[in-house]
Amino acid sequence: MSLWQRPLKRLQAMSYDKLLRIYAEHTTYRFRLNSLKGFVSLFLVGTVLSVALAACSGGGTGSSSSSETPNATTVAASKDNVELTLVSFAVTKAAHEAIIPKFVEQWKKDHNQTVTFKQSYGGSGSQTRAVIDGLEADVVHLALAGDTSKIEKAGLIQPGWEKEVPNNGIVSKSVAALVTRPGNPKNIKNWEDLSKDGIKLITADPKTSGVARWNFLALWNSVIKTGGDDAKATEFVTKVYKNVPLLTKDAREATDAFFKQGQGDALINYENEIILAEQKGEKLTAIIPDVNISIDNPIAVVDKNVDKHGTREVAEGFVKYLYTPEAQQEFAKLGFRPVDDTLTLSKEVADKFPKVKTLGTVADFGGWDGINKKFFADGAIFDQIQAKKK
């Protein structure tokens, strides 16, 4: 997106009356016309606002595709009720259900506008494909930045989305956890134990689940961070996946298979899912390995869809709200490690989340493009490991 396009999109999302007020403010005593700088400033502001006003009034001479939906970007600003579609990965559901009512209340107070939400939850990979294939999400909260980048490459999200919000777009965090049966009858203490004979492990499928990709990276990372090379990591991960009787579609299905159906001796999942299960009364033994992976989940506005729906202002407001202490506290209550440093340092949060001695990151493996090519593309390492099971 060019330097001019982002501010122009913001302006086009405003109501006609609001744009007129802004123009009046900037032409009344705001600029000194007896200076060259003042004249240039007024000229630039007037030009940008004129284009935006023309777009809002339907008087522009844009392409035929834009003329088919005149004023699309200003629809929500003039309505009493606005609907947002949030598409997210499965394990965020409880957190969003706690956060959304707080946002709705705050938005109503600040803007006198009622916001309702359509929500869709599932495996991050599946959700990504659904959005690319036509699920008109206004906001996507996915398990990994690589999935958000796929939507960007499909032309739905403008490049630079991660710079539009704090923390490079990461709004929730977790680490990988090992869960065993009560009393840990198989004596599973660390990643290495998952490769032993007689152990059955439950995890999701990296082809459909972002969580499962993190699980795979956690296993791989456990070898690399303790001095092993790719050959040793491949050997270890191959042994582990031979102990996986089934690959579920997403993390929630993996949790259900382990707890509700009684399958497996151990489960790899997000730490937040373990905390949530404990809060619901599940009795379990959980281990947070000292060598772990930082699971970082991004949030993004789907530019093409919000401009089509006229929901940019509300969507951006919701994303911004997710970074507030109020929203981050809700994430923390439901097991996500907060991205807000002030909360991270609080005693309540420190007591809730064990420290990890050696924490790997996506950057350690060259970013998601490199990770997907090496591990998860068709015919890559994960497919090779699966082929050895047959």
Side-chain angles (χ1 to χ4, degrees):
M1 181 177 285
S2 72
L3 178 66
W4 288 99
Q5 286 175 311
R6 286 196 183 279
L8 185 56
K9 280 181 176 292
R10 304 297 191 274
L11 290 168
Q12 288 177 336
M14 297 178 186
S15 68
Y16 186 82
D17 290 341
K18 187 173 182 179
L19 284 167
L20 288 177
R21 288 198 301 272
I22 293 173
Y23 188 77
E25 289 172 1
H26 281 82
T27 55
T28 306
Y29 308 114
R30 189 59 61 92
F31 297 102
R32 295 170 59 91
L33 293 181
N34 60 349
S35 69
L36 177 61
K37 182 179 179 181
F39 177 80
V40 171
S41 298
L42 180 58
F43 174 79
L44 292 174
V45 170
T47 299
V48 173
L49 284 171
S50 296
V51 173
L53 284 165
C56 289
S57 63
T61 57
S63 66
S64 59
S65 60
S66 62
S67 64
E68 290 173 2
T69 55
N71 301 327
T73 59
T74 64
V75 172
S78 62
K79 285 189 173 182
D80 293 332
N81 302 298
V82 182
E83 182 178 78
L84 283 186
T85 298
L86 169 66
V87 173
S88 192
F89 61 109
V91 300
T92 63
K93 184 176 181 181
H96 281 303
E97 287 180 344
I99 293 168
I100 284 172
K102 294 178 181 292
F103 167 74
V104 169
E105 180 181 3
Q106 187 64 48
W107 190 264
K108 178 70 172 179
K109 178 181 177 182
D110 294 343
H111 300 269
N112 195 30
Q113 194 173 47
T114 300
V115 183
T116 57
F117 279 78
K118 282 185 178 178
Q119 301 171 59
S120 173
Y121 299 94
S124 189
S126 301
Q127 295 291 74
T128 299
R129 284 191 293 275
V131 172
I132 292 171
D133 290 342
L135 175 56
E136 294 191 359
D138 297 296
V139 176
V140 287
H141 183 188
L142 299 171
L144 42 93
D147 284 344
T148 313
S149 294
K150 290 177 183 177
I151 299 175
E152 174 192 328
K153 289 174 182 177
L156 300 176
I157 296 177
Q158 293 292 341
W161 58 269
E162 67 275 18
K163 303 300 181 186
E164 292 289 301
V165 291
N167 204 39
N168 284 321
I170 303 303
V171 75
S172 58
K173 300 177 73 172
S174 194
V175 295
L178 290 175
V179 189
T180 71
R181 295 299 173 190
N184 195 7
K186 295 294 181 78
N187 198 29
I188 297 167
K189 297 179 180 178
N190 51 40
W191 299 115
E192 186 179 359
D193 291 333
L194 299 178
S195 66
K196 293 179 178 178
D197 293 340
I199 299 294
K200 290 185 178 180
L201 171 68
I202 303 299
T203 184
D205 187 346
K207 292 289 189 177
T208 57
S209 168
V211 175
R213 295 195 178 195
W214 287 114
N215 293 351
F216 183 99
L217 283 182
L219 291 164
W220 190 274
N221 179 73
S222 72
V223 177
I224 301 300
K225 282 290 191 289
T226 53
D229 57 13
D230 278 8
K232 288 185 177 179
T234 301
E235 180 184 3
F236 169 69
V237 175
T238 299
K239 288 181 179 178
V240 172
Y241 277 89
K242 283 183 178 179
N243 289 338
V244 177
L246 78 159
L247 290 167
T248 63
K249 185 177 67 176
D250 57 42
R252 180 53 48 79
E253 285 191 6
T255 301
D256 288 345
F258 185 77
F259 288 113
K260 295 181 179 179
Q261 300 168 24
Q263 298 187 50
D265 304 303
L267 167 76
I268 310 179
N269 215 328
Y270 277 7
E271 176 188 46
N272 65 276
E273 277 287 270
I274 308 312
I275 292 172
L276 184 60
E278 290 175 332
Q279 290 174 352
K280 291 181 176 180
E282 298 281 359
K283 297 187 182 297
L284 50 86
T285 302
I287 303 127
I288 306 298
D290 285 338
V291 179
N292 219 305
I293 193 83
S294 180
I295 298 172
D296 301 333
N297 319 130
I299 191 87
V301 169
V302 185
D303 293 292
K304 186 173 182 179
N305 291 340
V306 297
D307 289 340
K308 176 182 178 180
H309 302 157
T311 53
R312 177 175 289 278
E313 183 179 7
V314 184
E316 290 181 347
F318 176 64
V319 169
K320 182 178 179 181
Y321 183 80
L322 293 179
Y323 287 93
T324 65
E326 294 78 13
Q328 285 293 309
Q329 283 172 352
E330 293 299 329
F331 276 123
K333 285 178 185 177
L334 292 163
F336 288 94
R337 296 187 175 217
V339 298
D340 185 329
D341 289 339
T342 58
L343 288 177
T344 302
L345 296 173
S346 71
K347 185 177 185 304
E348 180 183 357
V349 170
D351 290 344
K352 192 182 191 75
F353 302 107
K355 288 185 178 180
V356 174
K357 291 181 181 178
T358 305
L359 193 65
T361 67
V362 167
D364 295 339
F365 298 97
W368 277 111
D369 284 345
I371 288 170
N372 287 331
K373 183 178 180 180
K374 179 175 181 176
F375 297 115
F376 306 120
D378 290 343
I381 288 176
F382 180 74
D383 281 352
Q384 294 167 23
I385 288 171
Q386 288 299 99
K388 292 177 183 179
K389 292 173 61 175
K390 297 178 181 178

